Amino acid sequence: MSELTELYQEVILDHNRKPRNYGEMENFSGQADGYNPLCGDRIKVFLRLEGGQITDIKFQGTGCAISQASASLMTEALKGKSVDDSNRLFEDFRSLVTGNSPNATSKSLGKLMAFGGVSKYPVRVKCATLAWHTLKAALEDQGQCTTEK
Ligand code: ZN
């Protein structure tokens, strides 16, 4: 029970119950779909970029609490951030959930620290990072749109 409590922290349960920035976006500049076959999680990320800054971000998805809460917390953390900052945050987050960052602090990650317990459950790492990988693809989608023709 204590292990489960550690994995499913209150902030994760809260974001799973009431996901933030959930829904579709019109006039998005980048969009991508992510799928985690290990668990069946699906995430769709929409984002609007202006001058290298994420001015708006939304997601839709189905799947386990970890995957949905991760997407919700990610959108909250990234709104208003630059693309560079979001890449840096992804690196910090990935280090946290894979357990490669024993010194990870709440300074940069804030509420995302709630996923620290995931590092003890390797099979759940993909649940936690799915939204972030999908974000990366959405950022690349943007690049393709702007360079085509
Ligand atoms: Zn999952």
Side-chain angles (χ1 to χ4, degrees):
M1 186 63 200
S2 67
E3 282 186 344
L4 275 180
T5 311
E6 185 180 40
L7 184 59
Y8 295 101
Q9 288 206 21
E10 185 56 37
V11 63
I12 294 177
L13 295 173
D14 176 51
H15 276 259
N16 180 50
R17 269 195 308 262
K18 293 178 290 180
R20 321 299 201 270
N21 304 303
Y22 193 92
E24 269 183 88
M25 188 190 292
E26 287 176 26
N27 306 318
F28 54 82
S29 50
Q31 187 268 313
D33 295 288
Y35 175 55
N36 170 19
L38 288 178
C39 183
D41 310 314
R42 289 181 189 278
I43 299 280
K44 186 189 272 275
V45 171
F46 304 90
L47 55 86
R48 192 175 298 134
L49 281 178
E50 282 167 42
Q53 207 178 21
I54 299 171
T55 55
D56 201 8
I57 178 165
K58 284 193 170 188
F59 84 99
Q60 288 181 313
T62 54
C64 69
I66 298 284
S67 68
Q68 303 304 302
S70 175
S72 175
L73 279 152
M74 178 190 79
T75 60
E76 214 178 50
L78 293 185
K79 211 183 245 192
K81 288 263 191 335
S82 70
V83 173
D84 287 346
D85 282 347
S86 74
N87 284 332
R88 220 167 293 137
L89 205 53
F90 182 23
E91 289 312 313
D92 288 351
F93 183 73
R94 185 153 55 185
S95 301
L96 174 75
V97 297
T98 53
N100 290 324
S101 181
N103 300 320
T105 64
S106 56
K107 203 185 254 179
S108 59
L109 287 166
K111 282 190 213 164
L112 295 169
M113 288 298 287
F115 292 93
V118 171
S119 65
K120 298 200 186 87
Y121 304 85
V123 72
R124 309 313 296 273
V125 170
K126 282 202 159 61
C127 302
T129 55
L130 176 65
W132 293 84
H133 286 295
T134 312
L135 167 84
K136 257 204 147 118
L139 287 169
E140 280 158 22
D141 178 39
Q142 158 88 15
Q144 283 167 8
C145 286
T146 52
T147 53
E148 250 172 14
K149 286 183 198 160

